């Protein structure tokens, strides 16, 4: 309510930098899945959504825009990052244009919905464009451990912010944009109150299988087992965003299939991918196990690193292309989707055998609460602090020759 009182006092319009400074002083308001659901199903009121979003969207945009400004100057100067910044500035300005509009003005409310849809479409390519900016920076200036750590920290927060902003934009545009998806009439915006987890997993498998068949002329089979501990004998259902779950499982299936096909290419016998789905009282857990040879323990963290990719440099085209193909962003973005509503995604590898990927999702909609980055002193310090030497011994690649050791 601090923000509402400040707005009612009538902050001077000022320039965009001043507006960013003003709105970044407020923390975003995380919503639970239940709040999204209750609002959309019981109290779907375009005026209420208009009043909330014209306050909340500037706060979320401004918080992450402050962090963008803390990136290395050379990264900020890349054409791709400048393009992303221009999108955010334009979107913030368009939302602020409605700050003083009356909530009783039906024309303003309808215009706001059109603006929300326009902003959503403008931000379609934020992820690959920012990724391209990082590639441009890396190719021109190289990368050092401190910068890599700061960029990793920033991108996790930037992409999580982008997921959250898109969630708000999608909910408003789907509920009030005048178009209902006939294929999903029971969805509340982008949320399925009875998301059939197994069905989404099978859809993700079939999509990955088509790609695998195209590239390798074959693909591993799927063996799926499910256990509903919470409601035995009932379908595996939770309140969730099906597109988020699909993104995660599709990415994991792609990785598992590629590893399985290449690791077993000499034998031409491709072990199946095993998926176990369990619904408990607190968690829905999806475990995907492949026999693709696994990876060494030292490489596990790299798989979630935006600065590390084994794939060749991709061409940036449009959002209609295969999502993030070649950027190496599939796993870290999938983990953010899992973490967005307080879940997680973890990898456990047995080098020489295979990998287990585990997705954790909250089973209760009241506990599925947005995880949002906030710009504050702690975040600022992360970018500005000098990273000192490690406080653990670093093993040398050349072990000390003990025959030359002298006592002091």
């Amino acid at each position: 309510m601090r923000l509402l009182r400040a707005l009612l006092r009538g902050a001077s319009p000022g320039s965009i930098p001043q507006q960013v400074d003003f709105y970044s002083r407020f923390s975003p308001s995380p919503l639970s899945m239940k709040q999204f659901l209750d609002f959309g199903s019981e109290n779907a009121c375009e005026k209420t959504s208009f009043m909330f979003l014209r306050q909340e969207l500037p706060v979320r945009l401004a918080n992450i825009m402050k962090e963008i400004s803390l990136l290395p100057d050379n990264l900020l100067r890349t054409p791709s990052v400048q393009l992303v910044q221009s999108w955010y500035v334009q979107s913030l300005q368009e939302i602020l244009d409605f700050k003083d509009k009356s909530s009783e003005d039906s024309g303003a409310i309808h215009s706001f919905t059109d603006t929300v849809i326009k902003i959503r479409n403008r931000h379609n390519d934020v992820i690959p464009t920012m990724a391209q900016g990082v590639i441009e920076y890396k190719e021109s200036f190289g990368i050092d451990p401190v910068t890599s750590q700061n960029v990793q920290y920033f991108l996790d927060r930037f992409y999580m912010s982008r997921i959250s902003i898109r969630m708000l934009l999608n909910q408003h545009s789907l509920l009030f944009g005048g178009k209902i998806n006939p294929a999903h009439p029971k969805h509340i915006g982008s949320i399925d109150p009875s998301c059939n987890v197994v069905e989404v997993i099978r859809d993700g498998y079939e999509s990955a299988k088509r790609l695998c068949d195209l590239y390798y002329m074959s693909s591993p089979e799927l063996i799926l087992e499910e256990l509903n501990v919470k409601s035995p004998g009932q379908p595996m259902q939770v309140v969730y965003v099906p597109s988020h779950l699909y993104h995660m499982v599709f990415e994991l299936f792609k990785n598992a299939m590629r590893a399985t096909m290449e690791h077993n290419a000499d034998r031409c016998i491709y072990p199946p991918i095993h998926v176990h789905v369990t619904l408990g009282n607190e968690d829905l857990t999806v475990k995907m196990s492949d026999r693709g040879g696994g990876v060494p323990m030292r490489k596990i963290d790299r798989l979630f690193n935006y600065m590390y990719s084994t794939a060749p440099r991709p061409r940036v085209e449009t959002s209609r292309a295969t999502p993030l193909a070649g950027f190496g962003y599939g796993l870290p973005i999938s983990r953010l989707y899992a973490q967005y509503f307080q879940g997680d995604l973890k990898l456990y590898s047995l080098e020489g055998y295979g990998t287990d990927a585990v997705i954790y999702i909250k089973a209760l909609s009241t506990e599925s609460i947005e995880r949002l980055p906030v710009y504050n002193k702690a975040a600022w310090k992360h970018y500005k602090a000098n990273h000192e030497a490690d406080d653990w011994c670093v093993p040398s690649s050349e072990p000390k020759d003990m025959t030359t050791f002298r006592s002091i």
Side-chain angles (χ1 to χ4, degrees):
M1 287 293 100
R2 286 174 55 214
L3 173 58
L4 181 57
R5 288 197 297 270
L7 288 171
L8 291 175
R9 284 198 299 269
S12 59
S15 64
I16 282 293
Q18 290 171 321
Q19 296 285 17
V20 170
D21 287 341
F22 174 74
Y23 282 98
S24 66
R25 294 203 295 266
F26 304 98
S27 295
S29 303
L31 301 175
S32 70
M33 192 76 81
K34 187 176 188 305
Q35 286 175 302
F36 276 117
L37 202 62
D38 288 347
F39 173 80
S41 56
E42 298 173 9
N43 309 305
C45 172
E46 192 171 1
K47 183 173 83 169
T48 305
S49 183
F50 162 71
M51 294 173 66
F52 173 72
L53 289 185
R54 72 175 178 179
Q55 296 179 36
E56 183 64 16
L57 285 172
V59 172
R60 296 195 186 191
L61 288 166
N63 268 264
I64 203 62
M65 289 169 76
K66 289 292 285 187
E67 293 201 35
I68 294 176
S69 68
L70 297 176
L71 290 172
D73 289 342
N74 288 328
L75 179 54
L76 287 174
R77 292 191 191 104
T78 61
S80 296
V81 174
Q82 288 185 346
L83 179 58
V84 170
Q85 278 189 297
S86 72
W87 291 339
Y88 274 70
V89 168
Q90 187 176 356
S91 298
L92 177 60
Q93 183 60 66
E94 289 174 357
I95 294 295
L96 292 179
D97 287 343
F98 291 90
K99 184 178 69 171
D100 299 321
K101 297 291 177 72
S102 170
S103 59
E104 302 301 325
D105 184 348
S106 59
I109 292 176
H110 292 150
S111 177
F112 180 80
T113 299
D114 292 339
T115 299
V116 162
I117 294 171
K118 183 167 67 174
I119 292 172
R120 183 194 65 185
N121 294 339
R122 176 185 300 132
H123 287 240
N124 277 345
D125 293 325
V126 160
I127 292 178
T129 306
M130 180 60 80
Q132 182 65 25
V134 172
I135 289 175
E136 291 165 7
Y137 173 79
K138 188 176 178 181
E139 290 183 346
S140 298
F141 304 100
I143 203 74
D144 61 84
V146 172
T147 302
S148 178
Q149 184 176 334
N150 284 345
V151 170
Q152 180 74 20
Y153 175 80
F154 165 76
L155 289 178
D156 269 342
R157 295 164 65 81
F158 176 75
Y159 289 140
M160 184 68 88
S161 171
R162 191 259 184 185
I163 290 170
S164 79
I165 291 169
R166 195 163 187 83
M167 183 72 185
L168 295 182
L169 298 174
N170 273 335
Q171 287 304 104
H172 186 88
S173 59
L174 290 171
L175 288 171
F176 308 113
K179 293 181 180 179
I180 298 175
N181 187 344
H184 305 289
K186 295 184 179 179
H187 282 198
I188 308 300
S190 58
I191 299 171
D192 187 348
S194 304
C195 178
N196 189 316
V197 177
V198 171
E199 188 177 288
V200 175
I201 291 172
R202 291 193 183 278
D203 285 346
Y205 168 78
E206 291 299 331
S207 297
K209 182 179 186 298
R210 283 193 291 272
L211 289 177
C212 190
D213 287 337
L214 274 173
Y215 193 82
Y216 295 102
M217 308 302 290
S218 185
S219 56
E221 293 298 316
L222 169 65
I223 297 178
L224 194 150
E225 298 178 38
E226 51 184 298
L227 177 63
N228 193 336
V229 178
K230 186 177 181 180
S231 304
Q234 298 299 312
M236 204 82 69
Q237 295 181 338
V238 292
V239 180
Y240 206 65
V241 183
S243 61
H244 290 188
L245 178 58
Y246 175 87
H247 183 108
M248 289 183 268
V249 296
F250 175 61
E251 182 62 34
L252 294 178
F253 274 126
K254 281 197 303 180
N255 292 343
M257 288 181 181
R258 176 184 173 187
T260 300
M261 299 305 292
E262 294 184 358
H263 183 67
N264 298 281
D266 292 341
R267 296 189 301 146
C268 294
I269 298 174
Y270 306 110
I273 296 171
H274 291 258
V275 174
H276 294 80
V277 188
T278 305
L279 179 60
N281 291 320
E282 293 189 19
D283 297 326
L284 169 84
T285 309
V286 179
K287 185 178 81 166
M288 186 182 301
S289 305
D290 68 60
R291 292 191 54 185
V295 295
M297 183 183 70
R298 67 182 175 84
K299 290 186 177 180
I300 288 289
D301 287 342
R302 292 184 193 174
L303 300 178
F304 291 103
N305 193 318
Y306 299 100
M307 307 297 286
Y308 174 83
S309 174
T310 57
R313 173 175 172 165
R315 292 196 315 271
V316 176
E317 294 174 353
T318 69
S319 55
R320 291 185 292 274
T322 302
L324 310 177
F327 280 111
Y329 277 29
L331 277 175
I333 296 293
S334 294
R335 182 168 66 175
L336 293 181
Y337 274 117
Q339 293 174 342
Y340 174 48
F341 280 115
Q342 304 298 328
D344 210 349
L345 189 159
K346 295 181 179 293
L347 295 182
Y348 305 94
S349 187
L350 288 75
E351 187 186 9
Y353 182 81
T355 301
D356 287 354
V358 184
I359 299 171
Y360 298 98
I361 292 172
K362 292 291 184 183
L364 301 176
S365 60
T366 51
E367 294 183 2
S368 299
I369 304 168
E370 290 183 293
R371 184 171 185 256
L372 304 176
V374 57
Y375 175 77
N376 54 23
K377 196 171 183 179
W380 181 87
K381 281 184 176 179
H382 190 98
Y383 294 99
K384 297 298 181 182
N386 291 322
H387 297 264
E388 299 178 359
D390 201 343
D391 55 357
W392 291 88
C393 290
V394 179
S396 171
S397 59
E398 297 292 335
K400 189 176 182 67
D401 184 357
M402 297 305 293
T403 60
T404 64
F405 178 76
R406 295 180 183 177
S407 60
I408 298 175

